[in-house]
Amino acid sequence: MRKPLSPLQAFAADAQGATTRGVPLDHQLLPWLSIAQAADALSSAPRWRLRQDLPHIESLLPEYRGRRPTLTHDAQPAPTESLDQLYERFRSAAEDMELAGCFELAFTTVSAVCRLAIDSGYAALALATVHLGRVARQMNDYDSAEQCYESAVERTIHERDGPLAARGYIGQALIHDMRGNRPAAERLYRKALRAAVFGGGAYVHACQGLMTLSISDNRLADALLFGWKLYDASEQDTETRASALTDLSVVALRAGFFEPAKLGFAQVINMRPAPRALLLALGGAVRAAARLDNTDDIRQLGQAIDTEIARANQPHDAAQVLMYLAEAHWHIGERVAARGALERARVLATTYRYHEYEFRVDAMERDWAASPTLQPSFDEAPVPFSRPSASMRTSIARLTALR
């Protein structure tokens, strides 16, 4: 299990990372350092001291008062106990750090919350542990993430709390998915779906995971079913809606409906979701542009992709999107740009040991050498039907009506 850095060490690491990525975070980093330091100091204080200083503690993080993190207990109301509310404020601040790619500060902050919550109820500790696993996963420390998820599942199962265990199952499923074990991932997503509160956050994430796996297996009708359920249930959640719409557009792309796919991706980009979601939408948009032979769009999207790769700080997604961009450039005859994007994907795949992506980069280079006029594959298997059903056409047509 990775040990958290001290707040100052985490600040220095994330400041250097932001500088390297060219992302201006000067006005945010110092307040986040103060938050991490406060969490760290409180986590080492004895419980009696926390109770004694409760009036002062309640005044901490006023900008996060009343705000809840995305990882909550779907079967319970918002906490009313002061310390539990403070844990949520710290975790909400950590989510802002995550969105900016400052994962060391987020990891240090949430680690402190885990230490704080040890003597609290099991739910507060389990939620903080799942959150810590999510941060570790984004840092590509899958072993630490897996340990966090396993710990949370064991604790919640012991308490017979299925809805909270569902959060841990989803984390475990994500790890299996990223390691290429799709059957295990699907089993755990379905397990989470059965345990989750209908319509709650865990339920939504389980649907998202099952939709993604359905797309990977070309079960497009299943993917559309899960996708529109997500979209319709997420009117008040921009990020979830953007994710659902991105995946629905991918289904349209796979089924050969390139114009609806383009419109769907454009809708997501206009929504300006979090950097990672925006990066994935741009990757889909450049695939649709290549299918439609739109050279200008490919060039413009390539510039936007470069910007979002720096902001998102998500090397796994960046490597995939760069491969899509490379194929798009190759398709329109821009060989230098194609090879440049592919080499950037290779560097990421090698640095972070994404072996599947290393193999794909090698395969793309071999294919290009064998046939300079090769049509792009865009990571798509053949669609298993020649004539989409009327219901599928109607479902995909919804993408053209979105505004």
Short mmCIF file of all heavy atoms in Angstrom, two decimals, residues 10-31:
data_model
loop_
_atom_site.label_atom_id
_atom_site.label_comp_id
_atom_site.label_asym_id
_atom_site.label_seq_id
_atom_site.Cartn_x
_atom_site.Cartn_y
_atom_site.Cartn_z
N ALA A 10 3.59 16.61 -1.12
CA ALA A 10 2.51 16.46 -2.11
C ALA A 10 2.32 17.76 -2.89
O ALA A 10 2.13 17.74 -4.12
CB ALA A 10 1.21 16.06 -1.41
N PHE A 11 2.38 18.87 -2.18
CA PHE A 11 2.27 20.19 -2.84
C PHE A 11 3.37 20.37 -3.88
O PHE A 11 3.12 20.78 -5.02
CB PHE A 11 2.35 21.28 -1.78
CG PHE A 11 2.53 22.67 -2.33
CD1 PHE A 11 1.45 23.39 -2.81
CD2 PHE A 11 3.79 23.26 -2.38
CE1 PHE A 11 1.62 24.67 -3.32
CE2 PHE A 11 3.97 24.53 -2.89
CZ PHE A 11 2.88 25.24 -3.36
N ALA A 12 4.61 20.03 -3.49
CA ALA A 12 5.74 20.19 -4.41
C ALA A 12 5.58 19.30 -5.64
O ALA A 12 5.84 19.72 -6.77
CB ALA A 12 7.05 19.89 -3.69
N ALA A 13 5.15 18.05 -5.42
CA ALA A 13 4.99 17.11 -6.54
C ALA A 13 3.91 17.59 -7.50
O ALA A 13 4.09 17.56 -8.73
CB ALA A 13 4.66 15.73 -6.00
N ASP A 14 2.78 18.04 -6.96
CA ASP A 14 1.69 18.47 -7.84
C ASP A 14 2.00 19.81 -8.51
O ASP A 14 1.59 20.04 -9.65
CB ASP A 14 0.38 18.57 -7.04
CG ASP A 14 -0.23 17.20 -6.77
OD1 ASP A 14 0.07 16.26 -7.54
OD2 ASP A 14 -1.00 17.08 -5.81
N ALA A 15 2.73 20.68 -7.81
CA ALA A 15 3.13 21.94 -8.44
C ALA A 15 4.06 21.68 -9.62
O ALA A 15 3.92 22.29 -10.69
CB ALA A 15 3.82 22.84 -7.41
N GLN A 16 5.00 20.74 -9.43
CA GLN A 16 5.89 20.39 -10.52
C GLN A 16 5.12 19.75 -11.67
O GLN A 16 5.37 20.04 -12.85
CB GLN A 16 6.97 19.42 -10.02
CG GLN A 16 7.95 18.95 -11.10
CD GLN A 16 8.72 20.10 -11.72
OE1 GLN A 16 9.22 20.96 -10.99
NE2 GLN A 16 8.80 20.14 -13.04
N GLY A 17 4.18 18.88 -11.33
CA GLY A 17 3.37 18.24 -12.37
C GLY A 17 2.56 19.24 -13.16
O GLY A 17 2.45 19.15 -14.39
N ALA A 18 1.97 20.23 -12.45
CA ALA A 18 1.18 21.25 -13.14
C ALA A 18 2.06 22.08 -14.07
O ALA A 18 1.66 22.42 -15.19
CB ALA A 18 0.48 22.15 -12.13
N THR A 19 3.27 22.39 -13.62
CA THR A 19 4.20 23.15 -14.45
C THR A 19 4.58 22.36 -15.70
O THR A 19 4.60 22.88 -16.81
CB THR A 19 5.47 23.50 -13.65
OG1 THR A 19 5.10 24.30 -12.52
CG2 THR A 19 6.46 24.27 -14.52
N THR A 20 4.85 21.07 -15.51
CA THR A 20 5.22 20.22 -16.64
C THR A 20 4.09 20.12 -17.65
O THR A 20 4.32 20.13 -18.87
CB THR A 20 5.58 18.81 -16.13
OG1 THR A 20 6.68 18.90 -15.21
CG2 THR A 20 5.97 17.89 -17.29
N ARG A 21 2.86 20.06 -17.16
CA ARG A 21 1.71 19.95 -18.04
C ARG A 21 1.28 21.30 -18.61
O ARG A 21 0.40 21.35 -19.47
CB ARG A 21 0.52 19.33 -17.29
CG ARG A 21 0.73 17.87 -16.92
CD ARG A 21 -0.50 17.30 -16.22
NE ARG A 21 -0.58 17.68 -14.82
CZ ARG A 21 -1.63 18.22 -14.24
NH1 ARG A 21 -2.73 18.48 -14.94
NH2 ARG A 21 -1.63 18.53 -12.95
N GLY A 22 1.87 22.37 -18.10
CA GLY A 22 1.50 23.70 -18.58
C GLY A 22 0.13 24.14 -18.12
O GLY A 22 -0.55 24.92 -18.81
N VAL A 23 -0.29 23.67 -16.95
CA VAL A 23 -1.61 24.01 -16.42
C VAL A 23 -1.44 25.03 -15.29
O VAL A 23 -0.78 24.73 -14.29
CB VAL A 23 -2.34 22.76 -15.89
CG1 VAL A 23 -3.70 23.13 -15.34
CG2 VAL A 23 -2.49 21.73 -17.01
N PRO A 24 -2.01 26.22 -15.40
CA PRO A 24 -1.86 27.23 -14.35
C PRO A 24 -2.75 26.95 -13.14
O PRO A 24 -3.97 27.08 -13.21
CB PRO A 24 -2.27 28.53 -15.06
CG PRO A 24 -3.24 28.09 -16.12
CD PRO A 24 -2.79 26.73 -16.56
N LEU A 25 -2.15 26.55 -12.03
CA LEU A 25 -2.91 26.23 -10.83
C LEU A 25 -2.41 27.01 -9.61
O LEU A 25 -2.72 26.66 -8.47
CB LEU A 25 -2.80 24.72 -10.52
CG LEU A 25 -3.49 23.77 -11.49
CD1 LEU A 25 -3.19 22.32 -11.11
CD2 LEU A 25 -5.00 23.99 -11.51
N ASP A 26 -1.64 28.08 -9.84
CA ASP A 26 -1.02 28.80 -8.73
C ASP A 26 -2.05 29.28 -7.70
O ASP A 26 -1.81 29.22 -6.50
CB ASP A 26 -0.24 30.00 -9.26
CG ASP A 26 0.93 29.58 -10.14
OD1 ASP A 26 1.31 28.40 -10.07
OD2 ASP A 26 1.46 30.43 -10.89
N HIS A 27 -3.20 29.76 -8.16
CA HIS A 27 -4.19 30.32 -7.24
C HIS A 27 -4.94 29.24 -6.47
O HIS A 27 -5.62 29.54 -5.49
CB HIS A 27 -5.19 31.18 -8.02
CG HIS A 27 -6.04 30.40 -8.97
ND1 HIS A 27 -5.52 29.81 -10.11
CD2 HIS A 27 -7.37 30.09 -8.95
CE1 HIS A 27 -6.50 29.19 -10.76
NE2 HIS A 27 -7.62 29.34 -10.09
N GLN A 28 -4.82 27.97 -6.88
CA GLN A 28 -5.51 26.88 -6.21
C GLN A 28 -4.60 26.06 -5.30
O GLN A 28 -5.04 25.53 -4.29
CB GLN A 28 -6.14 25.95 -7.26
CG GLN A 28 -7.25 26.60 -8.07
CD GLN A 28 -7.69 25.72 -9.22
OE1 GLN A 28 -6.95 25.54 -10.19
NE2 GLN A 28 -8.88 25.17 -9.12
N LEU A 29 -3.34 25.95 -5.68
CA LEU A 29 -2.46 25.03 -4.97
C LEU A 29 -2.23 25.41 -3.52
O LEU A 29 -2.22 24.54 -2.63
CB LEU A 29 -1.12 24.93 -5.70
CG LEU A 29 -1.13 24.05 -6.96
CD1 LEU A 29 0.17 24.20 -7.72
CD2 LEU A 29 -1.34 22.59 -6.58
N LEU A 30 -2.05 26.69 -3.21
CA LEU A 30 -1.80 27.09 -1.83
C LEU A 30 -3.01 26.83 -0.92
O LEU A 30 -2.85 26.30 0.18
CB LEU A 30 -1.38 28.56 -1.77
CG LEU A 30 0.08 28.83 -2.17
CD1 LEU A 30 0.36 30.32 -2.21
CD2 LEU A 30 1.04 28.12 -1.21
N PRO A 31 -4.25 27.16 -1.34
CA PRO A 31 -5.39 26.77 -0.51
C PRO A 31 -5.50 25.26 -0.33
O PRO A 31 -5.86 24.79 0.77
CB PRO A 31 -6.60 27.33 -1.29
CG PRO A 31 -6.03 28.46 -2.07
CD PRO A 31 -4.65 28.04 -2.46
#
